[in-house]
Amino acid sequence: MQIFAIVVSLAIAAVGIALFVKAIREIIAVVKLGQPTASRTGQPQARTVTLLKETLGHTRMLQWTAVGVGHWFVFVGFGLLFFTLLTAFGQLFDAHFALPLIGHFVLYEWVTELFTWAMLVAIVAFIGYRLSRPKERQRGTSGRFYGSTMWQGYFVELVILGVGLCIVTLRGLEYALMNATGDDTSAVHFPLTFWLGEAFGGMSENALVNAIYLVAMVKIVISFTWMIVLSLNTTMGVAWHRFTAFFNIFFKRRADGGTALGGLQPMMVAGEPIDFENIEELDEDAAMGVGKIEDFAWKGILDFTSCTECGRCQSQCPAWNTEKPLSPKLLITNLRDHAYAKAPYLLADPEERDALPAEVKAEAERELVGATEGDPTLPSGGAVIDPDVLWSCTSCGACVQQCPVDIEHVDHIVDMRRYQVLIESSFPSELNGLFKGLENKGNPWNMSPNARMDWAKDLDFEVKQVGADVEDLDEVDWLFWVGCAGAYEDRAKKTTRAVAELLDLAGVSFAVLGDGETCTGDPARRSGNEFVFQQLAMQNAEVFKETKVKKVVSTCAHCFNTLKNEYSQFGVELEVVHHTQLLNRLVREGRLTPVAQSADRTGINGGGHSVTYHDPCFLGRHNQVYSPPRELLDVIPNTELKEMPRNSERSFCCGAGGARMWMEETIGERINLNRTTEAVETGADQIATGCPFCRVMLSDGLTAKQADGSAREEVEVLDVAQLLLASVKRTPAPRTAPTGDGTTTAPAAAGAATATAVLEKPTGEQAGKPEAVKAEPEPGDATQTEATVTEPADVGAAAEASTEPTPVPSAHPAEETEPADATLPDPATTDEPEASTEPGDDAAVQAQHEAAADEDAHPDAEKRGGDTLF
């Protein structure tokens, strides 16, 4: 038995190791086919710390707690129990073998048995999960294993199960053998397997020795069978990620451990960013974006290789959850399979390629993006990636945020879009209007730049404009970045006015650029038009430098993200905050005071109302701003925050990102309807958000649901700033005071004094430059004190600041879902835009009036995309 076990074990080990080395060389060769990339090796110490945190700490896996804990034991056990494989080889030659120094060390024995049993429990649970949930393998919102190569998952899990059973069996046999030979042993050395050793107690010494030879051989055969199968399947990510994940994590975009979200990577050629100002210096054969698999950076191909097919990204993707053909998982695995199938052609000498197998040459001729055959999610022929897959992405980042091995899905999608737009001129037709507006007028609505200040008409305070009222930004504290939506989109204008009023009430000095502002370029960059993005970004960067911009506050999550994370690529370093961050700080400092409202004015449950908050993807997931908006809602008296099931890190997209706001949604369920349904089902009276794109999408969704009777008419969509302004500007209920006859009275003077105090602007030192206005509260800051919240009574069910006269219809009129805003009077918005000397402006104004008339004629129409965006 011993000789047989030795021969079999050594033979399979030799074959397994040889094939494993060969497979590693093949993988390295395929990864090296990718293009050079920048900033992947800097800060090695920080990268090492990140690697240790994400692997040993399992920080990414523990986003799903139970699964993460089980996987941690399997992961650590895989490395720790390698020593038991060495022990098994020693036991082939001597059944009494133990590793030198540590073999009988009590702590090592305890840890070994603990991890073995924990690993067994976890792997049985994982196998049971796969077997008991067939719907996980079907197309649908819960089908995260749809498209995964299931036999590979079962194979790996059964290998782990077999190895674990062999380890505990060997431990029991060792205990029994030591007892049979009279060796001094104790259950202390076999804390979790001594009972199994007792069960083997009736066997003879010879039988025990032969049993050890047999089980050791089985353990070795199982381990090296796994290695052989792994080596023959270089695309077996469910197994290879055990080795490649370390490198994928180490070489991730951000050395500090952050995900590949926020700013996009610039378009690269030969590892260097493309500068369109010097485009003539670019090699005429240089790929702009990714048009072939070998155009991806080497890190991209390493990403594809590392995919575990776990489906976490797929389960969170808004496109997948609304029956679109995009699965982030299958996008990556399709690219992986294509890369490894085409690799022999790319690695062969040109004169040898004709002799390659037909299937290899056919793979080499496949388009990367184009018409596919069969299911576009899992094409049976044609191109690798279907256009509907590529253009379904909202760039929300849920896939990147969920991925346990740090695959950078969004970067790869945008790189492919860049090639389609810049080289192939192949993109959804609706984007033509977007690109035209951005190039000609500096905004996606193609509106006149002269209308950028219309939102400020008839405010009861001056909005300073750089170049007209102030020379540069040194004269004020903040540049208020209004953004295209905030200047042109009717619903977003209300948010712009609300923020301006709040800043004025708090005594914060700010200015705007007015017609000197142009689009940040976010929709251009995320739709793949890097040329237009750079054109806009360089224009804004020049203005920032001339006007000495240092601190920016933005109401648009997309502008906030682009200015904060991407403009440094153009030599501009800015402190950028979202308006909810700045307003939150002002409330904490007592410079804005939310006031409760009396029940007798509202008549609804004592004035209380409920709000649910929708996290904008580019504020939350991309920039980790989750607390400030919620703290603002919490500090408004008598307001109950009702969270949606999908919130914060797992919030669901509104559907507008990735330039999808300008593309019609023709496949599956509308993403905004899916999200609005979830918001309405909370029972909240108001849906709050902090992004104009989100507000448009949710308002449209709410209008549709109110039209079909599935949502209450009184539900409304508002920006957090509007809710705060309504509370700050409302008059508090008069306090009652005792009288001489034992009754109470509420002197009018007392109420008026309180109201005056609330609305009164700071004077003296307070009227000057604000001191230390920080973007977010520091640890330990009070979130609600007597000084920051007045509580005379209750608050109404809807924001009072809501009876605004009908604003000027934009090129895409917005159907209002919130009631008119009494404290935001805007009679000027009924005026027509100012005359402009730019050609086409008169036609644009006429188009506005025609659009408004059409909206009046069809008030329930939901219009979005192209020329009927809203």
Side-chain angles (χ1 to χ4, degrees):
M1 181 65 212
Q2 183 180 23
I3 295 174
F4 175 76
I6 291 173
V7 171
V8 170
S9 298
L10 293 182
I12 196 169
V15 172
I17 292 172
L19 289 175
F20 189 60
V21 171
K22 179 176 178 290
I24 290 174
R25 295 181 64 182
E26 289 178 1
I27 289 174
I28 292 173
V30 175
V31 171
K32 288 174 69 176
L33 288 171
Q35 299 300 308
T37 186
S39 306
R40 295 291 180 172
T41 56
Q43 300 177 267
Q45 291 182 337
R47 291 182 179 278
T48 302
V49 171
T50 295
L51 175 63
L52 294 174
K53 285 170 60 177
E54 289 198 20
T55 52
L56 295 180
H58 249 42
T59 52
R60 311 283 299 153
M61 285 296 300
L62 287 172
Q63 292 179 101
W64 294 24
T65 308
V67 175
V69 170
H71 190 276
W72 185 82
F73 279 103
V74 173
F75 163 76
V76 176
F78 179 82
L80 179 67
L81 300 179
F82 172 74
F83 293 105
T84 66
L85 180 62
L86 298 180
T87 301
F89 273 106
Q91 289 172 326
L92 293 174
F93 299 91
D94 178 5
H96 296 271
F97 176 82
L99 290 173
L101 300 178
I102 65 171
H104 293 300
F105 181 44
V106 171
L107 180 60
Y108 167 73
E109 292 175 319
W110 275 66
V111 170
T112 297
E113 294 198 2
L114 173 64
F115 272 89
T116 301
W117 283 110
M119 187 176 70
L120 282 171
V121 170
I123 212 66
V124 168
F126 291 163
I127 293 172
Y129 183 90
R130 285 182 187 263
L131 289 172
S132 64
R133 288 170 172 79
K135 288 186 178 180
E136 294 283 349
R137 303 191 293 274
Q138 298 175 2
R139 176 68 161 98
T141 56
S142 61
R144 71 184 185 96
F145 290 138
Y146 176 82
S148 296
T149 313
M150 295 300 290
W151 75 262
Q152 294 180 354
Y154 282 123
F155 174 76
V156 169
E157 289 167 348
L158 290 172
V159 163
I160 295 170
L161 178 64
V163 168
L165 292 174
C166 286
I167 291 172
V168 297
T169 303
L170 281 171
R171 291 289 292 167
L173 290 169
E174 290 170 28
Y175 178 85
L177 181 61
M178 293 179 75
N179 282 339
T181 57
D183 289 347
D184 184 20
T185 184
S186 168
V188 172
H189 290 273
F190 299 87
L192 301 175
T193 56
F194 70 91
W195 59 271
L196 189 58
E198 296 288 353
F200 293 136
M203 297 173 63
S204 67
E205 180 180 345
N206 187 57
L208 289 169
V209 168
N210 283 322
I212 288 176
Y213 295 151
L214 176 63
V215 178
M217 180 192 71
V218 171
K219 182 181 187 305
I220 292 168
V221 168
I222 291 174
S223 297
F224 283 94
T225 297
W226 173 79
M227 184 174 285
I228 291 170
V229 172
L230 172 67
S231 301
L232 295 175
N233 294 273
T234 50
T235 59
M236 191 174 176
V238 69
W240 275 109
H241 82 276
R242 295 171 181 274
F243 306 102
T244 60
F246 295 101
F247 300 98
N248 214 48
I249 293 170
F250 184 84
F251 293 120
K252 67 188 297 184
R253 190 206 291 182
R254 293 178 54 181
D256 64 0
T259 55
L261 295 174
L264 280 172
Q265 289 282 75
M267 192 162 66
M268 301 282 191
V269 171
E272 297 295 330
I274 290 181
D275 182 356
F276 281 95
E277 282 193 317
N278 303 311
I279 192 69
E280 66 279 356
E281 299 176 8
L282 194 65
D283 190 312
E284 61 181 15
D285 295 326
M288 300 179 72
V290 170
K292 302 183 295 295
I293 195 69
E294 59 269 31
D295 292 339
F296 282 105
W298 62 263
K299 175 57 170 64
I301 300 179
L302 181 60
D303 272 357
F304 309 155
T305 305
S306 302
C307 180
T308 71
E309 302 186 25
C310 66
R312 290 186 178 208
C313 58
Q314 184 171 283
S315 71
Q316 304 299 304
C317 176
W320 182 258
N321 276 269
T322 53
E323 297 89 46
K324 312 292 190 294
L326 169 61
S327 157
K329 176 189 72 178
L330 297 177
L331 174 93
I332 295 299
T333 57
N334 288 340
L335 291 170
R336 176 198 66 196
D337 294 345
H338 174 61
Y340 280 84
K342 187 178 179 181
Y345 181 88
L346 297 172
L347 293 169
D349 292 331
E351 60 272 13
E352 297 175 353
R353 288 175 176 173
D354 287 340
L356 291 172
E359 60 269 20
V360 173
K361 290 188 285 186
E363 195 71 31
E365 294 173 359
R366 289 182 73 186
E367 283 187 287
L368 187 68
V369 178
T372 56
E373 298 173 6
D375 182 357
T377 303
L378 284 168
S380 57
V384 180
I385 304 298
D386 193 274
D388 284 334
V389 170
L390 184 65
W391 294 102
S392 290
C393 178
T394 66
S395 67
C396 70
C399 49
V400 178
Q401 192 270 332
Q402 281 292 318
C403 183
V405 294
D406 286 303
I407 293 172
E408 300 166 3
H409 311 71
V410 174
D411 284 352
H412 304 322
I413 289 172
V414 171
D415 276 338
M416 288 188 283
R417 285 183 173 185
R418 285 165 171 166
Y419 187 88
Q420 294 300 305
V421 171
L422 299 175
I423 303 300
E424 297 291 335
S425 295
S426 176
F427 49 85
S429 60
E430 301 99 322
L431 292 179
N432 279 311
L434 168 68
F435 296 155
K436 180 182 177 182
L438 292 174
E439 288 187 87
N440 296 338
K441 299 293 181 68
N443 66 84
W445 284 275
N446 204 27
M447 297 285 286
S448 169
N450 293 338
R452 276 194 176 268
M453 287 300 294
D454 285 356
W455 65 269
K457 289 182 177 179
D458 290 338
L459 285 173
D460 58 3
F461 58 91
E462 178 188 19
V463 177
K464 296 178 181 178
Q465 188 172 343
V466 178
D469 304 300
V470 295
E471 185 68 23
D472 55 48
L473 271 298
D474 281 344
E475 300 180 35
V476 295
D477 294 322
W478 293 90
L479 168 65
F480 180 17
W481 183 266
V482 177
C484 300
Y488 297 114
E489 204 282 317
D490 293 337
R491 285 162 286 201
K493 287 181 186 178
K494 294 183 178 181
T495 301
T496 307
R497 292 171 65 90
V499 171
E501 288 197 60
L502 287 165
L503 295 179
D504 181 67
L505 287 170
V508 175
S509 62
F510 68 93
V512 299
L513 292 176
D515 57 9
E517 181 180 302
T518 191
C519 181
T520 61
D522 163 83
R525 173 165 259 197
R526 278 158 183 79
S527 61
N529 199 331
E530 187 73 7
F531 177 80
V532 170
F533 165 73
Q534 287 202 23
Q535 182 183 33
L536 295 168
M538 287 187 289
Q539 180 179 339
N540 280 323
E542 188 63 30
V543 171
F544 288 164
K545 293 172 185 176
E546 290 177 359
T547 56
K548 302 178 183 179
V549 178
K550 298 181 181 66
K551 297 166 64 176
V552 182
V553 56
S554 172
T555 60
C556 175
H558 297 258
C559 295
F560 164 73
N561 176 70
T562 303
L563 294 172
K564 177 182 177 184
N565 298 312
E566 296 180 354
Y567 270 42
S568 59
Q569 298 168 15
F570 301 91
V572 177
E573 295 296 335
L574 303 169
E575 177 190 344
V576 186
V577 301
H578 189 252
H579 70 283
T580 58
Q581 293 176 296
L582 181 56
L583 295 176
N584 186 48
R585 187 64 198 179
L586 295 173
V587 170
R588 306 309 160 200
E589 291 176 344
R591 299 172 67 175
L592 292 172
T593 306
V595 179
Q597 185 177 349
S598 60
D600 59 346
R601 290 187 60 186
T602 63
I604 301 177
N605 298 326
H609 73 294
S610 58
V611 178
T612 188
Y613 175 69
H614 165 78
D615 288 277
C617 298
F618 281 83
L619 181 63
R621 195 177 291 113
H622 280 269
N623 287 283
Q624 306 302 303
V625 179
Y626 298 110
S627 298
R630 288 176 167 81
E631 290 178 357
L632 282 175
L633 294 174
D634 284 341
V635 85
I636 297 174
N638 297 69
T639 299
E640 177 190 4
L641 178 62
K642 293 185 174 182
E643 291 283 14
M644 288 181 255
R646 297 176 293 193
N647 65 78
S648 302
E649 290 86 353
R650 294 198 189 181
S651 182
F652 197 72
C653 183
C654 73
R660 286 293 323 174
M661 184 158 164
W662 285 271
M663 291 181 258
E664 190 52 68
E665 206 169 335
T666 58
I667 302 174
E669 179 189 12
R670 286 181 177 269
I671 294 174
N672 65 325
L673 283 177
N674 185 294
R675 184 56 166 171
T676 305
T677 298
E678 185 174 14
V680 168
E681 287 177 351
T682 64
D685 302 306
Q686 295 163 327
I687 304 170
T689 190
C691 174
F693 287 18
C694 295
R695 185 173 178 187
V696 166
M697 302 300 281
L698 295 177
S699 294
D700 287 351
L702 181 60
T703 298
K705 293 193 70 63
Q706 288 172 332
D708 66 21
S710 57
R712 293 179 291 131
E713 288 297 323
E714 59 268 25
V715 178
E716 55 188 349
V717 181
L718 297 168
D719 190 273
V720 173
Q722 287 181 281
L723 293 170
L724 178 64
L725 179 65
S727 177
V728 167
K729 293 189 71 173
R730 74 168 52 104
T731 304
R735 294 183 183 274
T736 58
T739 62
D741 59 2
T743 62
T744 59
T745 183
T754 307
T756 301
V758 172
L759 295 176
E760 188 174 283
K761 295 183 182 179
T763 58
E765 293 183 3
Q766 291 179 325
K769 186 175 182 178
E771 297 181 7
V773 178
K774 291 171 280 188
E776 297 187 61
E778 297 176 350
D781 283 355
T783 58
Q784 185 166 325
T785 67
E786 292 182 1
T788 60
V789 181
T790 306
E791 244 181 308
D794 300 310
V795 68
E800 281 202 328
S802 272
T803 51
E804 204 173 307
T806 305
V808 171
S810 70
H812 308 286
E815 182 175 272
E816 296 299 335
T817 59
E818 66 261 347
D821 196 316
T823 60
L824 289 176
D826 193 7
T829 55
T830 58
D831 296 339
E832 296 185 9
E834 295 177 1
S836 169
T837 58
E838 291 195 33
D841 284 348
D842 291 341
V845 171
Q846 180 63 32
Q848 293 172 15
H849 288 297
E850 292 174 359
D854 182 68
E855 184 183 31
D856 291 338
H858 306 283
D860 294 328
E862 180 180 325
K863 295 176 285 186
R864 194 175 60 78
D867 290 335
T868 55
L869 180 60
F870 302 110

